[in-house]
Amino acid sequence: MLSVPFSKTAMKAMIAKTDIRRKRLYIATFGCQMNEYDSIKMIQVLGSEYSITKDPRNADLILVNTCSIREKAEHKLYSLVGRFKEFKLKNPELIIGVGGCVAQQEGERLLKSLPHIDLVFGPQGLYRLPEMIGAVKAGVGPVCATELSGDFAIPFTGVPVLGEGAVRAFVTIMQGCDNFCTYCIVPYVRGREVSRPVGDIFTEAKALVEQGVKEIILLGQNVNSYGKKNGGLGFAGLLKQVAKIPGLLRLRFTTSHPRDLGDDVAECFRDIPNLCKHLHLPVQSGSTRILKRMNRRYTREDYLDRIKTLRDMCPSITFTTDIIAGFPGETDEDFEETMSLLKEVGYEQIFAFKYSPRPFTKAAEFEDQVPEDVKAGRLKAILELQNEISLGRHEQLCGREVEVLVEGQSKTDQAWLAGRTTGNHVVNFPGPMSLIGQLVNVRITKALCHCLCGELV
Ligand code: 5AD
Ligand code: SF4
């Protein structure tokens, strides 16, 4: 969980700006980068009336932005919001809101299971927050905004509100998803795929870079189908245009669907100098049989072909992926195919999860669910194998000089800095804070599974 969606430096700057007469907002964010982005939008639509607090005990408004992708994420919401009940007893004026994917999924049921909350709103309802808060204050009682729209639901809300010192920022380019992978709840809670108007994307990205942001990450559940429905600028065209914003050092995007990532996007890795040479390409399983049951609409061979094309276009490109362990019907042989695919591709990192049955989804109804202990065993084996692979790949960088965009202080040691290579490797090294936001050269001295250590050149 991120208590606030900002870097430490950006947070300090925001808190320093706090006007004590303003109301205090505490915001907790669970889940993916889309949710981090949505939390920033929430702060933005609430405007100058609220300032951020890190302490929920002194908040006037508490917002929890929730995730329902797996059951575990959903449980976190209930325990956190449960704890806020006592604050409400002490301060009856306190307003508590639950937003995001669980709010969308549960709707008014949440008001019954958590009777001390005042607002329930889905990802598309967040721009209605001021109106909803007004209604609660006027004594209307708890309010719920969870209808799904077929249009891009978030109106342009002006220049983003990032604190000073923010080095990277997200820009949403689309909402929702039409893919209906059989395990996934996203199409049900975030609605159909809708692309954001290109003008809004540019205005927002440009404003961020003018505020000092050096790296933009374009966000969408399925970015490769950007603009396909309205036949305008496609995703490759969008990348080329955004990359040209003066002062933008780095551009990234997530998430891609292997079936929709065309040669035009693969060529962008070769042709756009500030497009980072890293691609997150979720494969989910190495078995064609399981991919079919997941409704992914590509085979193991199609996926490996895509990887090959990308490596041909851009030999230095690195890959990361998502894996689901123990999807219904997954046999030992299917699982071994996933293990062999990990070795064949050689990912830098992976995100692996035990399959979790979700409401509304087809796979939750499949009869051949895999026992919990088998899922756990397979997940463990996947993570162990990947640790070896990651370490091996990281060791290849030892002794080499890499370019790092400095993002802030290192989490483990305040005298150290942390940043990323174009290939998305996290690098920690000693250095002065004045380098934050700059591209520096670092010689790698040590490789670990999840990061690298080095020294300034
Ligand atoms: N169970 C486990 N993992 C899931 N993901 C999505 N839905 C589920 C589920 N029901 C994983 C996929 C996806 C990532 C964001 O979350 O790997 O790519
Ligand atoms: Fe979910 Fe599949 Fe859409 Fe990704 S592409 S959000 S996994 S339905």
Side-chain angles (χ1 to χ4, degrees), residues 69-70 183-184 282 284 322-324 353-358:
I69 196 98
R70 286 169 293 274
Y183 51 81
C184 186
Q284 315 298 359
D322 293 342
I323 300 281
I324 297 179
F353 316 97
K354 277 189 292 182
Y355 168 71
S356 166
R358 304 311 295 134

Side-chain angles (χ1 to χ4, degrees), residues 127-259:
Y127 72 98
R128 288 179 49 201
L129 268 175
E131 162 203 334
M132 294 169 77
I133 292 170
V136 171
K137 282 187 183 157
V140 170
V143 267
C144 181
T146 51
E147 58 285 352
L148 284 177
S149 145
D151 299 322
F152 193 79
I154 315 297
F156 189 66
T157 43
V159 179
V161 281
L162 285 192
E164 281 159 39
V167 176
R168 345 165 68 203
F170 301 122
V171 174
T172 282
I173 64 163
M174 61 203 305
Q175 75 190 14
C177 183
D178 289 349
N179 278 333
F180 291 92
C181 301
T182 54
Y183 51 81
C184 186
I185 196 171
V186 165
Y188 305 95
V189 288
R190 289 196 175 255
R192 293 298 79 75
E193 206 169 274
V194 190
S195 294
R196 188 178 186 194
V198 72
D200 288 5
I201 298 173
F202 278 121
T203 312
E204 184 162 307
K206 210 157 157 276
L208 286 163
V209 176
E210 280 161 9
Q211 275 182 46
V213 162
K214 309 289 181 203
E215 177 175 311
I216 298 267
I217 305 147
L218 302 178
L219 289 183
Q221 303 293 348
N222 187 18
V223 291
N224 306 108
S225 49
Y226 177 79
K228 274 195 186 151
K229 279 187 185 166
N230 26 339
L233 189 70
F235 184 58
L238 182 75
L239 280 177
K240 285 180 196 144
Q241 300 270 358
V242 175
K244 284 188 204 142
I245 294 176
L248 179 67
L249 298 182
R250 284 183 170 184
L251 178 61
R252 297 183 193 271
F253 60 86
T254 200
T255 296
S256 291
H257 191 291
R259 196 192 60 133

Side-chain angles (χ1 to χ4, degrees), residues 295-309:
N295 190 31
R296 293 290 287 176
R297 289 169 292 151
Y298 54 84
T299 62
R300 176 193 176 98
E301 290 69 35
D302 296 335
Y303 183 90
L304 290 171
D305 267 2
R306 280 286 85 195
I307 296 277
K308 185 175 178 305
T309 306

Side-chain angles (χ1 to χ4, degrees), residues 47-164:
S48 56
E49 201 184 331
Y50 289 91
S51 61
I52 305 286
T53 174
K54 271 179 154 176
D55 184 357
R57 281 170 302 194
N58 65 22
D60 303 287
L61 171 63
I62 293 180
L63 297 177
V64 182
N65 193 1
T66 62
C67 170
S68 62
I69 196 98
R70 286 169 293 274
E71 204 178 356
K72 213 162 129 196
E74 201 180 316
H75 285 161
K76 286 190 198 158
L77 147 77
Y78 291 96
S79 64
L80 181 70
V81 178
R83 271 186 271 142
F84 295 150
K85 198 169 175 176
E86 57 169 311
F87 305 158
K88 186 98 175 190
L89 293 174
K90 283 192 196 129
N91 172 15
E93 305 274 286
L94 169 66
I95 296 178
I96 303 177
V98 176
C101 297
V102 182
Q104 185 67 44
Q105 173 195 317
E106 293 297 310
E108 295 200 350
R109 280 197 298 267
L110 262 190
L111 296 173
K112 294 208 178 77
S113 51
L114 296 164
H116 58 292
I117 64 178
D118 306 283
L119 316 167
V120 173
F121 54 100
Q124 296 189 11
L126 73 88
Y127 72 98
R128 288 179 49 201
L129 268 175
E131 162 203 334
M132 294 169 77
I133 292 170
V136 171
K137 282 187 183 157
V140 170
V143 267
C144 181
T146 51
E147 58 285 352
L148 284 177
S149 145
D151 299 322
F152 193 79
I154 315 297
F156 189 66
T157 43
V159 179
V161 281
L162 285 192
E164 281 159 39

